[in-house]
Amino acid sequence: MDDNQKSQVHAYWNNEQHDSATIGTGSMGTGLPIEIPYRTMGELETLGRYLPKAPFSMLELGCGSGRWAMALARSLSYYEGADLSAQQIAFAQETAAKQRLHNVHFALDDIRTYTPKQQQFDVIYFSGVSQYLDDADLAAIIKRNLPYLAPGGIIVERATTFVGQTRYVRSEDGYWCTYRLASEIISAFEAQRLHHVANEQSYTFLRRPELWSSPELSFFASWGLKNMPAAMHAVMKAFSASVNKHNDAFAHEGDKVYDHRFFIFSAGNTAR
């Protein structure tokens, strides 16, 4: 990543608006606000199949405004998150303070050079950050952080992947990122002698935005996700699957097709 690309990424994320409802995330299927809490629940359900038994420690690279720290706080023995965006780190610190979370810590730093305060972590989480790194930086960051992976720990890569024959590099509108193929992401981590354990879509995209945009259904879903989250999430997930007649598991942007996936990796000897 050259200096111009880095400044574009930095400016983009510093200009993003955050609140307690979204905590720095968005929707991949409908583009509607109601999909955001649904997405968080879906991703927690998916990732929960791979996370260690609580309590566990976690290092998050590209932590943004702290969505995962807040969501997993009760399961964490210790958490560190680093991000380049001053606005997002400030939001994360403010939210953690309001929730009186004393086991989570955030650092304003470049993940390419960040040195964690703790010696080892059960989970090292690349939080949707690899698409903002070129191949050389991604390889260097993986290698740099391997010594911090505790024995038996896992590395999680959450990435928006491109569905096509070749990767898609987006560089318009002051926004730069590289959407890699799923196979490229696996190869990047395997090149550092990591073992690919699994990968799957992070959550089932919500469908039929024309229905969920109605005030009545949106209110009902919001109430349900707040008051009976597991049941409401299951209903919304089943509905999306039932109306997905063409088995279209992907998000579309014109002629561009994306997926959103978790990649799980393990390592053998990570000693320094």
Side-chain angles (χ1 to χ4, degrees), residues 13 18-20 22-25 40 44 58 60-73 76 79-83 85-97 99 101 104-107 125 127 158:
W13 287 109
H18 307 294
D19 56 50
S20 58
T22 64
I23 314 186
T25 190
T40 296
L44 282 170
M58 179 171 165
E60 184 174 11
L61 302 172
C63 65
S65 50
R67 178 169 72 111
W68 286 99
M70 312 309 165
L72 294 171
L76 294 168
Y79 168 96
E80 278 186 47
D83 200 281
S85 170
Q87 178 175 316
Q88 294 205 57
I89 289 295
F91 183 92
Q93 291 172 332
E94 180 182 351
T95 305
Q99 296 185 18
L101 301 178
V104 302
H105 308 275
F106 300 97
Y125 188 24
S127 186
R158 181 180 61 81

Side-chain angles (χ1 to χ4, degrees), residues 44-257:
L44 282 170
E45 179 182 78
T46 303
L47 188 57
R49 293 195 281 271
Y50 304 101
L51 290 175
K53 184 178 179 180
F56 58 88
S57 57
M58 179 171 165
L59 169 65
E60 184 174 11
L61 302 172
C63 65
S65 50
R67 178 169 72 111
W68 286 99
M70 312 309 165
L72 294 171
R74 292 183 179 180
S75 299
L76 294 168
S77 58
Y78 178 82
Y79 168 96
E80 278 186 47
D83 200 281
L84 193 62
S85 170
Q87 178 175 316
Q88 294 205 57
I89 289 295
F91 183 92
Q93 291 172 332
E94 180 182 351
T95 305
K98 287 180 179 178
Q99 296 185 18
R100 298 182 179 180
L101 301 178
H102 304 297
N103 58 335
V104 302
H105 308 275
F106 300 97
L108 176 62
D109 211 328
D110 188 330
I111 65 170
R112 296 178 298 177
T113 56
Y114 179 66
T115 299
K117 305 300 184 292
Q118 181 161 291
Q119 294 298 304
Q120 289 191 317
F121 297 85
D122 300 308
V123 178
I124 297 178
Y125 188 24
F126 287 71
S127 186
V129 72
S130 65
Q131 63 206 46
Y132 304 108
L133 301 168
D134 60 28
D135 292 344
D137 280 340
L138 177 58
I141 291 172
I142 297 170
K143 184 176 182 179
R144 177 183 178 85
N145 285 280
L146 273 179
Y148 295 98
L149 185 64
I154 61 170
I155 291 181
V156 179
E157 156 76 334
R158 181 180 61 81
T160 302
T161 58
F162 191 64
V163 182
Q165 298 299 313
T166 59
R167 66 174 59 182
Y168 167 49
V169 179
R170 179 177 173 181
S171 58
E172 63 271 15
D173 303 324
Y175 181 80
W176 181 90
C177 66
T178 298
Y179 296 112
R180 294 175 173 86
L181 306 183
S183 58
E184 290 183 289
I185 292 175
I186 294 171
S187 295
F189 283 81
E190 287 185 333
Q192 302 301 321
R193 298 185 178 181
L194 288 161
H195 173 64
H196 174 226
V197 175
N199 77 86
E200 61 176 292
Q201 191 176 44
S202 66
Y203 78 108
T204 301
F205 298 149
L206 196 60
R207 296 302 182 189
R208 299 295 295 273
E210 70 278 8
L211 294 179
W212 297 106
S213 60
S214 70
E216 296 81 8
L217 188 55
S218 180
F219 175 82
F220 173 71
S222 297
W223 180 90
L225 288 169
K226 181 177 180 180
N227 294 282
M228 47 179 189
M232 192 70 234
H233 175 259
V235 169
M236 295 172 75
K237 182 178 178 179
F239 174 82
S240 289
S242 69
V243 300
N244 191 6
K245 297 179 180 178
H246 302 292
N247 194 31
D248 181 8
F250 308 115
H252 293 259
E253 183 184 62
D255 62 343
K256 306 294 191 301
V257 184

